[in-house]
Amino acid sequence: MNNPFVFGESVPADDPDGLADREEELALLRRSMAGGRNVIVIAPRRYGKTSLIKRAVVEARSAGGRSGWVSLGDCASQKDVAETLLAGVLSGPASWEQRLHSGVRRRLESLGAAVRLHSGPSDSDVELSVTLRPAEGGWRDTIAEVLRTLRDAGDDGRPVSFVIDEFQAAHEIDPAIPGVVKRLVDELRGVSLVLSGSKRHLMEQLTSGGAAPLARIGTMMALPKIPREAMVDFLMRRATKGGRLLAESVAGAIYDAADGIPNECQQIAWFAHEASTRRITLASVTTAVDLLLRQARFEYEAIWERTSPSGRRLVKALAADGPLNSLASRAMVDRVEVANASSVKAALRALERDDLVEHGPDGWRVANPLFALWLRERAGRD
């Protein structure tokens, strides 16, 4: 039978049981997208954020809404942002039938948009790309005009929603872009914008505090880890779907090895499924973790080599004892072997920028639990 576990990519839309314990968040997104309410979604990578919001888009469309999704993660310039946004709008809310609408057509003509179609992975798939010229006021004005196309797409009265994933990338390219979006919120009344991001510290800068550019524009949603009991039950059900028996204690061992992170739970389960026949055992879980560490050793060594000496000592401390709330103590300063608490904070921010550590409700921790395991093993060799 096919391996039922999914990692490293979003859960397929045609797999209704592929999401683990996100019913509450999905229901909130569904209601918000149907009701024209904005949502800010914040979650570290590997927490299932993209799978969740893509499922919400599918359900919004099934309910008769006009919805779409786009990621800014690969954008490197204002032009990239504008063109990526427009391609997402035209692939979703302003789809083929709606592009014939006079309002959408006029907006495309004013943008000077050149639209191209390409064959997708299968005969039924079509990929769309666009080329834009900057407006007289520059690319920020172009981005604003692109987003106004969402208002044109809703002229038939159907709910319009649009997900912009990895939104913090726009801020990294041009810190003024979030302000452009906020200025359009009132103008796009009735359109639901879902702005999601995986870099918590940047998304919090954009949303927290009265002066933040995206403060109070919508409902905040921070995805937590999936509770142990729910994930254990999910892993057992998925294993059964794949023709394997999985005991509760073994599913719990997978959860512990993955530190509860959804993507890593499924990744370890996928390899354990491959290493087993009728039953996933503790031995197959151990085999899976060992294989993953061997496969990643060159990547982890490269990360280690480019990390500063103080960063190495700090990330090893978090791997050994994390999560930790206080990193400014005299004991931590001595452990990281720096001059003062400010130096510890500087090392921490560098690790955070490189997505090596993250801050959650229980404190600072190594973001990737397999990297943390590798660090603990390395500590025994140093």
Side-chain angles (χ1 to χ4, degrees):
M1 294 186 180
N2 291 333
N3 195 318
F5 299 104
V6 179
F7 68 94
E9 59 184 9
S10 57
V11 174
D14 60 356
D15 185 0
D17 300 321
L19 290 179
D21 191 50
R22 294 296 191 201
E23 290 84 1
E24 181 178 330
E25 293 89 348
L26 183 59
L28 174 59
L29 283 172
R30 187 168 53 237
R31 292 194 302 268
S32 299
M33 294 166 80
R37 308 300 299 175
N38 301 319
V39 184
I40 308 292
V41 181
I42 304 176
R45 289 187 176 91
R46 308 176 315 282
Y47 272 50
K49 167 180 58 66
T50 299
S51 294
L52 171 67
I53 56 182
K54 281 188 172 182
R55 178 62 54 82
V57 167
V58 169
E59 296 197 3
R61 290 174 176 171
S62 298
R66 299 190 178 280
S67 189
W69 170 92
V70 71
S71 173
L72 303 183
D74 292 332
C75 293
S77 66
Q78 295 171 317
K79 181 176 186 289
D80 287 346
V81 171
E83 292 180 345
T84 300
L85 289 173
L86 184 56
V89 171
L90 297 181
S91 298
S95 57
W96 282 111
E97 59 189 75
Q98 197 65 3
R99 280 176 232 167
L100 300 177
H101 185 279
S102 59
V104 175
R105 189 171 61 249
R106 285 195 300 270
R107 187 80 60 187
L108 292 177
E109 291 171 354
S110 70
L111 286 165
V115 182
R116 297 179 301 282
L117 300 177
H118 313 276
S119 297
S122 68
D123 293 339
S124 61
D125 292 329
V126 175
E127 297 178 352
L128 179 149
S129 62
V130 300
T131 302
L132 289 172
R133 62 173 183 245
E136 288 187 9
W139 283 110
R140 293 172 190 168
D141 286 356
T142 305
I143 291 169
E145 281 298 294
V146 167
L147 293 175
R148 289 187 178 103
T149 307
L150 294 168
R151 182 184 59 193
D152 302 328
D155 281 355
D156 61 355
R158 291 166 61 179
V160 174
S161 55
F162 191 52
V163 177
I164 307 177
D165 201 2
E166 299 302 342
F167 182 79
Q168 77 280 336
H171 167 76
E172 292 176 303
I173 291 167
D174 178 3
I177 291 178
V180 172
V181 174
K182 184 169 186 176
R183 288 192 294 274
L184 284 171
V185 165
D186 288 339
E187 190 175 330
L188 297 177
R189 191 173 300 278
V191 173
S192 171
L193 291 176
V194 179
L195 309 178
S196 66
S198 59
K199 293 189 176 181
R200 186 188 299 269
H201 64 294
L202 289 180
M203 292 298 292
E204 289 177 348
Q205 287 177 28
L206 297 176
T207 57
S208 301
L214 299 180
R216 299 183 299 277
I217 73 162
T219 302
M220 297 292 298
M221 179 191 293
L223 293 187
K225 290 181 182 178
I226 294 171
R228 180 189 180 91
E229 182 178 352
M231 178 56 81
V232 165
D233 179 68
F234 171 80
L235 293 171
M236 293 169 66
R237 286 187 285 107
R238 296 297 282 185
T240 299
K241 183 176 181 179
R244 302 286 194 274
L245 296 175
L246 176 61
E248 182 177 348
S249 60
V250 179
I254 293 173
Y255 186 90
D256 293 340
D259 199 21
I261 296 176
N263 183 80
E264 267 58 43
C265 285
Q266 296 225 51
Q267 184 179 25
I268 294 171
W270 192 96
F271 280 92
H273 180 282
E274 294 297 297
S276 62
T277 52
R278 296 177 56 191
R279 181 185 297 272
I280 298 176
T281 64
L282 282 174
S284 55
V285 173
T286 300
T287 297
V289 172
D290 289 344
L291 177 60
L292 286 166
L293 289 176
R294 288 198 304 274
Q295 289 180 332
R297 66 187 184 279
F298 295 117
E299 175 191 356
Y300 294 162
E301 288 286 357
I303 291 171
W304 182 258
E305 289 300 321
R306 66 173 180 260
T307 301
S308 70
S310 58
R312 293 178 188 177
R313 292 188 287 270
L314 179 54
V315 75
K316 282 179 66 174
L318 288 172
D321 300 330
L324 297 174
N325 274 309
S326 177
L327 298 179
S329 66
R330 183 71 247 176
M332 184 58 71
V333 169
D334 293 341
R335 190 170 180 180
V336 181
E337 300 177 26
V338 290
N340 49 45
S342 295
S343 298
V344 174
K345 291 179 180 179
L348 180 67
R349 296 307 175 195
L351 294 173
E352 187 180 31
R353 284 194 301 271
D354 290 339
D355 290 328
L356 297 181
V357 301
E358 63 189 24
H359 189 267
D362 48 1
W364 289 97
R365 66 171 67 236
V366 178
N368 183 335
L370 293 173
F371 182 49
L373 179 57
W374 181 85
L375 287 168
R376 290 193 290 273
E377 291 183 352
R378 181 184 180 90
R381 300 194 304 267
D382 290 348

